Structure formats: structure tokens, C-alpha cells
Amino acid sequence: MCGICGVVDFDEKPSHRAVELMNETLIHRGPDMSGISQFEGCILGHRRLSILDLSESARQPMVAPDGSLALVFNGEIYNFLPLRASLEKKGHVFRTTSDSEILLALYQEKQERMLDDLNGMFSFAIWDVERRRLFMARDRLGKKPLYYHFNGHRMSFSSELFSLIQDSQVPRGLSQKAFLEYLLYDFVPAPHSIFSGIHKLPAAHMAFFDQHGVTLKRYWQPPLPEHDQDYEEAKEKLAELLSDAVRLRLISDVPLGAFLSGGIDSSLVTALMTQSSSERIKTFSVTFPGTSHDESKWSQRAAAHLGTDHHEYSSNLNEEEIFPMLVRHFGEPFGDSSSLPTWQLCRHTRTDVTVALSGDGGDELFGGYDRYLARRLQIIYDFLPVAFRRKIFEPLLA
């Protein structure tokens, strides 16, 4: 992951020091490179975790060749290669092999309609020098975070709350509504944050900020069910979509791995990785010896069946050390206790790989409701083609 931040002010010169502080606080998101660029009325900051194109030429903020646009980007565009080929046919010349540069060229071609072309997880901001306008967007499911504060003439934004409040002009008053939402959901849903003056850009939304103010607009809606679709064809389509999704995520210039618990989600993702990669996949899991929720039996069986290079780490949590760190990074109340072992797993995994694929998307979307997730996983399993299930899952249950 990377970290983005910035300040736009149409009344006063933006504070360079404010963006420096915000950017320094994001170092854990992007330890490889750091950059700050200043324009009239706008300062952008970026911390980079290098995944595609590790060279200096891919440093951000990234400025278009004609100087008309500047980009800060957190995420990954999975279909950047076909997009690049299409843009090259239209005359665009690229200086890097990164997916970031694709966003600048797409904006030049289509402005906000560029979002229709993107397959990926992202939050980004583009400063349009000629229009004196900030364009921000967040991916369809909100995997990448983006917080902002707007006071009528000034916008500041960042990937994390703790970074954003380094800007002294951002208020820290408690939002009573957000607090009640947390008590109801165990997290604070967008567009609110725990601070009354700070908002999250909602998933599948874009925002424009210029001298006329801020405009938010939804650019995507979840598709409606196709009730007349043939069931067998739908199963085959699901298998194709899953395979394609994993294959696209394997495009990387750094080592890749996977979290493997032995459950349906993680086993499926890992199995598809082994089918799409010529190298032995590294897998990682955290164990809880002597407890009822220890999944090491299943992760070991899945790893043996799939032939992965498996690594296990026994959970030895030091809550007094970890908890303050997590509170700082979340920036607001978050009631999912699985964040503790997840943090430990990520810390160990980072010593071997830079990127790890995970099948754990349900907790992020649905707040950790176990019975709902169990039902969701069963539906996915039942929906897969029989041959696909027999090849991947049934040997694990034998």
C-alpha cells in the first residue's frame, strides 16, 4: 500500500509544513519513496510502497509531461496493461512501466469518465493545474481509504485519520452520530468519521473541489441480479471471474505470497495462484495452539495439497505493545478483535514477501458477522462447478 495526502487552499498559500507532517506520519504505508510537490494553491504528498516499476521515474507525486496534471495514487490498477496499449494507440508515450502513469493519461482522455475503465483498488487525487480543480476518487468497494476535511475554501485529505489531523486546521471534535454508529456496527461507516469535521469519501464515489466548493458523485452501482441467467453457465462464469481476478493480481515486480487459513476463501485464492504461477507460492498463517479456534490443521492440509512453501507463526500477542499502535493506525474506534492477529501475521509475512493475497474480504465489508460469512462461503462453494470443487477442495476434506 501507499499513502497520499495534500492541501488545496484558494484563499491562502497552503502550508508546506502541514503536508510534510502528514506525509511523515504515513511512512509505514510507503517506506520506499517519499515526495512532495507544490503548485499554485495546492501541495501534494506521497509515500510509496514500490510494487510496479521500482525505479525513480515512478516516484510520486507524478506530473504529466506537459505539467498540466499531478497525481498521488494509492492502490493498484489490475487492467493497466490493456489500458496502456489502448492509450499508446492514441499517441500517449509512457516514461515508466507503472500503473500510476496510466491514470494521468486516462484523465487527459476522459476526465472523470476514466473511472468506468478501471479494474482495481484505489484512492487517488489529481490536481488539474489549468482548471484549478482537485479530482479525487475511491474504488468501487472502498478497499483503499480516503479521508478529507473541507471548511468552505480549503480542502485537506489523507489516507489515514492520524495523518490528516497533523494539519493544525483540521478540527478534532467528537461526532456524536459517528459514535452511535460505532456502538451499532462496531465500526464507523462512510461518509462519517469519529471526528465531526472529517469525512470519508464513500466507496464508488468521486469528488471535485474547486473555487465553487465540493461536489460528490457516485460513479458505480452494484449490478442487479440476473434472474434469467442459466445456473450452469453462471457457475462457469464465476470460476472464470475468480481465476481472472487472481491472475491479474499476480502482476508484480516484487515477491508475492498468500494468507492461508485452510478455509474456503483463502484456499481458493491460493489454489488459483498455484495454477497461474510457475513458481512455488509462499503461504502464511498464524496459529493459536491449544485453542478451539486454531486453524493450523486445515492450513497445513491445504498447503500440503497445493504444494506451497508454508510458514506458520504462533500467536504470542503483546496487547500492551500492539494495541496503541493499532489505535493510531485505525484512527477511530474499530471493534474487530481479529485485527490483532492479522497485524502479527502481516508483520511476519513482510520479512518474506511485499504483497500477500488474502481471501478475507467479508469482514471488511460486513463488519465480521460470522454466521453471515459462513453462509456466504457456503453459497460460494455450492455455486462453483463440481469439477472445480473436486480438484481444489474435496481432497482437503478427505
Side-chain angles (χ1 to χ4, degrees):
M1 60 184 175
C2 297
I4 67 175
C5 61
V7 174
V8 177
D9 196 328
F10 291 113
D11 286 359
E12 301 177 6
K13 184 177 180 180
S15 168
H16 197 281
R17 182 55 181 161
V19 179
E20 285 180 351
L21 292 171
M22 292 161 68
N23 211 38
E24 289 171 7
T25 309
L26 295 171
I27 187 171
H28 59 281
R29 297 185 68 91
D32 297 329
M33 293 184 188
S34 175
I36 295 177
S37 296
Q38 186 162 356
F39 309 87
E40 184 181 354
C42 174
I43 303 177
L44 301 177
H46 188 266
R47 299 286 328 194
R48 187 175 190 224
L49 176 68
S50 302
I51 297 176
L52 292 169
D53 191 339
L54 311 185
S55 69
E56 275 286 322
S57 60
R59 179 185 290 274
Q60 295 183 46
M62 185 175 286
V63 181
D66 61 1
S68 64
L69 303 171
L71 165 78
V72 284
F73 165 53
N74 169 33
E76 191 169 356
I77 307 302
Y78 301 124
N79 63 332
F80 80 100
L81 289 175
L83 289 176
R84 179 189 178 106
S86 175
L87 290 164
E88 286 176 332
K89 290 179 181 179
K90 295 180 179 180
H92 289 271
V93 177
F94 294 97
R95 300 164 292 170
T96 74
T97 58
S98 72
D99 53 347
S100 306
E101 196 175 6
I102 302 300
L103 297 177
L104 285 173
L106 265 182
Y107 182 85
Q108 288 177 323
E109 288 288 331
K110 305 180 69 173
Q111 284 76 55
E112 64 268 23
R113 291 182 294 110
M114 66 182 286
L115 297 170
D116 297 334
D117 295 346
L118 300 182
N119 176 2
M121 55 177 182
F122 55 83
S123 64
F124 65 81
I126 294 177
W127 174 243
D128 192 321
V129 175
E130 296 177 358
R131 292 182 174 88
R132 287 177 58 80
R133 182 179 75 171
L134 184 71
F135 171 56
M136 301 189 299
R138 194 173 175 204
D139 62 72
R140 290 169 174 81
L141 294 182
K143 292 191 69 174
K144 292 301 181 182
L146 189 56
Y147 298 84
Y148 69 92
H149 166 68
F150 169 65
N151 69 359
H153 65 87
R154 185 180 188 274
M155 166 81 77
S156 53
F157 66 90
S158 182
S159 295
E160 293 189 4
L161 269 173
F162 190 74
S163 167
L164 187 56
I165 62 176
Q166 302 309 303
D167 179 0
S168 61
Q169 295 196 40
V170 174
R172 304 188 185 192
L174 177 69
S175 167
Q176 296 290 340
K177 183 173 183 178
F179 181 67
L180 292 174
E181 287 179 328
Y182 167 70
L183 295 178
L184 180 62
Y185 300 119
D186 283 344
F187 69 102
V188 180
H192 306 128
S193 83
I194 198 63
F195 299 112
S196 59
I198 301 176
H199 296 85
K200 302 181 181 85
L201 183 64
H205 276 69
M206 59 178 130
F208 300 95
F209 174 51
D210 58 20
Q211 291 176 316
H212 302 291
V214 176
T215 302
L216 267 67
K217 182 180 178 181
R218 174 181 281 274
Y219 67 86
W220 178 82
Q221 294 276 4
L224 296 174
E226 299 179 26
H227 296 293
D228 58 344
Q229 189 173 16
D230 179 77
Y231 186 67
E232 294 301 322
E233 290 181 2
K235 290 197 294 185
E236 295 297 332
K237 185 177 180 180
L238 175 62
E240 292 175 5
L241 288 171
L242 290 170
S243 298
D244 187 56
V246 171
R247 178 185 58 80
L248 290 173
R249 283 157 176 77
L250 297 182
I251 302 174
S252 174
D253 294 328
V254 295
L256 291 163
F259 296 155
L260 180 60
S261 68
I264 291 178
D265 278 356
S266 65
S267 297
L268 176 58
V269 169
T270 305
L272 293 173
M273 288 179 71
T274 62
Q275 293 179 2
S276 300
S277 176
S278 59
E279 300 181 2
R280 191 181 182 195
I281 300 298
K282 292 181 180 289
T283 54
F284 307 87
S285 66
V286 62
T287 66
F288 303 88
T291 66
S292 60
H293 52 274
D294 180 60
E295 299 175 319
S296 58
K297 171 186 175 182
W298 302 107
S299 61
Q300 290 168 8
R301 182 174 290 188
H305 172 64
L306 298 173
T308 70
D309 178 11
H310 191 57
H311 304 256
E312 288 186 347
Y313 306 100
S314 176
S315 178
N316 54 350
L317 296 175
N318 182 349
E319 289 86 353
E320 292 183 359
E321 173 190 352
I322 297 173
F323 191 72
M325 188 185 312
L326 291 180
V327 169
R328 174 178 172 176
H329 291 324
F330 283 127
E332 60 184 348
F334 182 65
D336 188 349
S337 60
S338 68
S339 59
L340 290 164
T342 300
W343 179 87
Q344 184 182 25
L345 177 61
C346 291
R347 183 186 65 176
H348 288 301
T349 300
R350 184 64 176 91
T351 62
D352 289 282
V353 299
T354 305
V355 177
L357 273 63
S358 168
D360 186 27
D363 285 346
E364 178 181 342
L365 293 175
F366 302 109
Y369 298 105
D370 294 338
R371 284 193 297 174
Y372 182 92
L373 294 178
R375 178 60 182 152
R376 181 179 66 86
L377 297 181
Q378 187 63 51
I379 290 172
I380 292 174
Y381 179 77
D382 291 342
F383 202 62
L384 291 170
V386 173
F388 198 80
R389 284 157 40 187
R390 286 176 178 169
K391 182 175 182 181
I392 294 178
F393 291 113
E394 292 183 7
L396 303 180
L397 305 176

